[in-house]
Amino acid sequence: MDYHKLGKEIVQNVGGPNNIESLTHCMTRLRFVLKDVSKANKEALEDIKEVVGVVYAGGQYMVILGPNLIPTFEAINKDFNLATTSPVDENLDEPKKEKLTWKTAGSKTLSFIQASVTPMIPGLIAGGMLKVVLLLIVTFISPAFAKSTSYTLISAIADAPFFFMPIMVAYGAATKLGGTPAYAMMSTAALLYPTFRDLLIKLTAHPGSVNVTLFNLPVKVINYGTSLLPALLISLLAYWVEKFLNKIVPGIFKSVLVGMGTIFVAGSLGYLVLGPIGDILGQGIATVVMFLSRTVGPLAVGLLAAALPWLVMTGMHVALAPFMPQLISNPGYDPILRPAFILHNMAEGGANIGVALKAKDKKLKSEAWSLAVGAIVAGVTEPSLYGINLKYKKPMYGVMAGGFVAGLLGARAYIMGYSNIFAIPVFEKTALAIVIGIVTTIIVAAAVTFVLGIDDKKEKKLTEPVRKNYPDTAIVSVSEGELEPLSEVKDEAFASGALGKGVALKLDSDFVCAPANGKVTALFPTGHAFGITTKNGAELLVHIGINTVNLQGKGFDVLVHQDDEVRAGQPIVKVDRKAIEKEGYDLTTMLIITNSNNQDIELKKTTGHVEAGTELN
């Protein structure tokens, strides 16, 4: 597997490196934040053999790769400098600014919370699984180990990601906002500072013994360790304060006053207002969850487990991640989210087992068994979801049925962990409930899938279109339409011949094709122009429309890649003529000979109606 080639192909089809604002990954997906989503070619990405699926949600453009993820991510990081983007021609690197409206406020808030929490999740899981190991040791191997200093120190390592969670949240929030992470982190860290903790301990032991104020304003002294929302609020304020101070403080004093002013304002208001507000909001979330748990708890778990396949498809399951650590913090356990996640994963695996038992095709059987193990043991479900369950449709009913039925058993997660069978100890005193739930889920999902059956008929292969062969010297019309002399084009740069001689075409087709046999040596991410170098070394430019670069890719669907070998008449770009013309753009398409390579190239046909592939020389 050439991961560098795969990475290059993916980057090209998300609009090129200059269209990538940031790149991260989870267990199965490359997660791009793009400057302009319209530049991404979803169909081309889905046509890549190694790509399992493509979704856009929560402000992230996600390319699902499964087992090929990590080496591809590493290859992209090695081959492309994504930390800083260099300017490209015609201001193509300008991102679109989406206005904040009531309609977009919800998605932007969710995207902000999601991005803030994502960096800390691996740390919380690592600490949670270390706590599980300690629990297993003192329960089944050596109870006396719990009284040793080794246990105390290792417990501190396991607890550290949870206690200092607010600081990690502040880092993620500041990074997402574009502020200075250190300012948000230091302002948030003040809530965890030993002096403040000492006041908490003193007031807990002797209520009312200390009157804590700041500028004669009362300060609510509470435990902010493992909290989430206060850090988000402080980080937002730190970003706005820093931005404001950078505008008003003279350049010579910025290095001294901006940082000091930012942490002073954000830290002070963190004590006085933001911390208590965040705590109240967190308690509100906990109250809602506790109410659901007492009333419709098992039903809520079952419904969420049944809905998760569709949430995973849109990528919105990640939006639930911020609330898991919040629940572990208050009320101290998660009665809904983690149980639903693990049962959904088991249901995906169970449906795969049903497919394996029902399928007649040996290759499908083998693939289904393999993906079932991945979902149940590793907790990786996207390959199962996209590779089999969604593809054959009926297994999705098995997934939903299995998740719903087992969700009624009332398991609770007390520690952060993965959603696979190795995470059973995080359910502590309800571990038996989750074990029964896992077994029930797998059996129900497999049984429902087996009973409903699958359609495993082989997919029909599309026949290759008939290709007309042209000599390497031929230059052909790039589309169907009416030819006109270049001098009649309503753009001086083309009409004057300054860019080279050629011909113009009024498009009557949505496909713009290669004008000659050769290689794609220039390919604009917007799709409005491309260059071909012929087999004989001549350089040809095809420019679709006048000033269409301003559309930033809207209405253009690029069908090839940079450096591809193409044949004359092969479709290169699909154009949405109606949408582009509705925007008021002239779609006259120019074919220019920018470099003849010392050859005598004469276009004999420059007027009249032509079909795509009509020879012009």
Side-chain angles (χ1 to χ4, degrees):
M1 170 68 72
D2 187 344
Y3 295 108
H4 293 276
K5 182 179 179 181
L6 174 58
K8 181 180 179 182
E9 195 171 359
I10 291 172
V11 168
Q12 189 63 44
N13 280 297
V14 296
N18 294 307
N19 191 40
I20 300 172
E21 189 171 297
S22 65
L23 170 64
T24 184
H25 70 87
C26 55
M27 291 185 69
T28 57
R29 307 176 182 210
L30 292 174
R31 293 176 173 269
F32 293 93
V33 175
L34 301 180
K35 295 178 179 178
D36 185 355
V37 177
S38 67
K39 293 180 182 179
N41 189 338
K42 185 173 184 288
E43 289 76 16
L45 285 166
E46 289 175 334
D47 285 341
I48 299 172
K49 180 183 176 183
E50 292 79 11
V51 172
V52 179
V54 178
V55 291
Y56 176 66
Q60 293 185 332
Y61 201 87
M62 293 167 269
V63 180
I64 303 164
L65 290 174
N68 296 310
L69 174 73
I70 298 301
T72 305
F73 176 79
E74 292 174 348
I76 292 174
N77 270 341
K78 185 175 181 180
D79 295 343
F80 298 95
N81 183 11
L82 300 181
T84 57
T85 56
S86 56
V88 297
D89 292 339
E90 303 183 279
N91 295 318
L92 301 182
D93 59 342
E94 289 297 319
K96 290 182 177 178
K97 299 293 184 181
E98 186 181 10
K99 291 182 179 179
L100 183 64
T101 64
W102 286 110
K103 191 177 286 187
T104 62
S107 63
K108 281 184 172 290
T109 301
L110 202 58
S111 176
F112 167 64
I113 296 175
Q114 178 182 320
S116 303
V117 171
T118 297
M120 75 170 182
I121 295 297
L124 296 185
I125 292 177
M129 297 312 292
L130 184 55
K131 289 165 75 77
V132 167
V133 171
L134 289 174
L135 177 65
L136 293 175
I137 290 174
V138 298
T139 303
F140 298 106
I141 300 176
S142 174
F145 183 65
K147 298 180 181 179
S148 68
T149 55
S150 295
Y151 177 86
T152 301
L153 293 176
I154 296 174
S155 293
I157 296 173
D159 288 332
F162 298 92
F163 182 80
F164 294 108
M165 185 175 80
I167 299 175
M168 292 191 288
V169 172
Y171 169 80
T175 302
K176 170 65 176 176
L177 293 167
T180 302
Y183 299 158
M185 294 166 72
M186 285 188 287
S187 302
T188 301
L191 300 178
L192 308 174
Y193 193 68
T195 302
F196 189 74
R197 295 278 300 173
D198 290 344
L199 288 172
L200 175 63
I201 294 171
K202 191 171 184 179
L203 286 169
T204 302
H206 306 286
S209 60
V210 181
N211 182 27
V212 183
T213 63
L214 180 61
F215 308 125
N216 290 324
L217 296 172
V219 173
K220 187 177 181 181
V221 181
I222 52 181
N223 181 15
Y224 289 109
T226 73
S227 63
L228 169 72
L229 297 175
L232 290 176
L233 297 176
I234 290 172
S235 300
L236 274 170
L237 179 63
Y239 168 72
W240 287 328
V241 172
E242 180 187 1
K243 194 174 181 180
F244 174 74
L245 292 178
N246 271 317
K247 286 183 179 179
I248 65 170
V249 174
I252 192 172
F253 298 114
K254 285 185 187 293
S255 60
V256 176
L257 298 181
V258 172
M260 180 186 71
T262 300
I263 67 170
F264 169 72
V265 174
S268 297
L269 289 178
Y271 282 136
L272 292 169
V273 180
L274 302 179
I277 289 177
D279 181 65
I280 291 171
L281 291 174
Q283 289 183 19
I285 294 173
T287 300
V288 171
V289 172
M290 290 294 290
F291 173 77
L292 291 174
S293 179
R294 288 193 304 268
T295 54
V296 296
L299 183 62
V301 175
L303 290 173
L304 179 57
L308 270 171
W310 311 102
L311 293 177
V312 171
M313 283 171 57
T314 63
M316 294 308 295
H317 65 299
V318 180
L320 299 173
F323 302 103
M324 294 184 190
Q326 176 67 45
L327 293 174
I328 297 297
S329 170
N330 184 10
Y333 57 85
D334 174 3
I336 294 177
L337 300 180
R338 182 59 67 187
F341 270 65
I342 192 171
L343 294 177
H344 160 253
N345 290 1
M346 299 303 110
E348 292 282 358
N352 282 176
I353 292 173
V355 171
L357 295 173
K358 189 76 172 182
K360 298 177 181 177
D361 182 75
K362 291 183 178 179
K363 183 178 179 182
L364 178 57
K365 276 181 175 290
S366 175
E367 182 182 7
W369 281 115
S370 175
L371 293 180
V373 172
I376 295 170
V377 178
V380 179
T381 60
E382 276 90 343
S384 299
L385 176 61
Y386 289 96
I388 289 184
N389 296 337
L390 182 62
K391 182 177 180 180
Y392 296 105
K393 296 181 177 63
K394 289 181 181 178
M396 288 294 280
Y397 296 115
V399 174
M400 295 173 67
F404 177 75
V405 171
L408 305 177
L409 297 174
R412 296 175 176 180
Y414 293 85
I415 304 171
M416 285 290 290
Y418 289 110
S419 297
N420 54 40
I421 57 174
F422 295 114
I424 290 174
V426 308
F427 290 87
E428 295 186 354
K429 55 189 176 185
T430 61
L432 180 59
I434 199 64
V435 169
I436 296 172
I438 287 172
V439 174
T440 303
T441 301
I442 294 172
I443 292 174
V444 171
V448 171
T449 302
F450 184 85
V451 170
L452 293 178
I454 58 169
D455 180 10
D456 60 347
K457 294 178 181 178
K458 293 183 178 179
E459 297 177 1
K460 294 180 180 179
K461 291 185 178 180
L462 297 175
T463 56
E464 285 288 310
V466 177
R467 298 180 179 181
K468 182 177 179 180
N469 293 319
Y470 295 91
D472 290 340
T473 56
I475 296 179
V476 305
S477 171
V478 297
S479 190
E480 179 185 356
E482 291 289 330
L483 291 175
E484 68 177 22
L486 205 58
S487 58
E488 296 183 14
V489 174
K490 297 175 183 178
D491 186 298
E492 185 60 27
F494 293 109
S496 66
L499 298 175
K501 61 182 181 180
V503 68
L505 178 70
K506 296 288 188 181
L507 292 182
D508 284 339
S509 170
D510 287 341
F511 289 92
V512 178
C513 306
N517 299 328
K519 178 187 283 189
V520 180
T521 48
L523 186 63
F524 285 84
T526 54
H528 79 287
F530 60 90
I532 303 289
T533 299
T534 71
K535 299 284 187 179
N536 297 319
E539 296 175 3
L540 309 177
L541 170 68
V542 178
H543 196 287
I544 308 168
I546 298 172
N547 295 325
T548 47
V549 63
N550 296 328
L551 290 169
Q552 294 191 324
K554 183 180 179 181
F556 295 92
D557 190 1
V558 181
L559 307 175
V560 296
H561 308 100
Q562 180 85 20
D563 298 327
D564 275 1
E565 293 285 343
V566 296
R567 67 187 190 284
Q570 177 180 337
I572 304 296
V573 178
K574 184 181 179 183
V575 181
D576 188 341
R577 287 184 295 151
K578 288 184 178 179
I580 294 173
E581 288 172 347
K582 187 177 179 180
E583 295 283 343
Y585 288 91
D586 182 345
L587 265 176
T588 300
T589 297
M590 284 64 69
L591 168 59
I592 309 295
I593 304 169
T594 56
N595 181 5
S596 65
N597 194 30
N598 298 319
Q599 301 170 61
D600 184 17
I601 303 175
E602 187 70 32
L603 300 183
K604 298 176 181 178
K605 189 172 181 62
T606 58
T607 58
H609 185 82
V610 291
E611 301 289 333
T614 299
E615 292 192 41
L616 303 178
N617 61 340

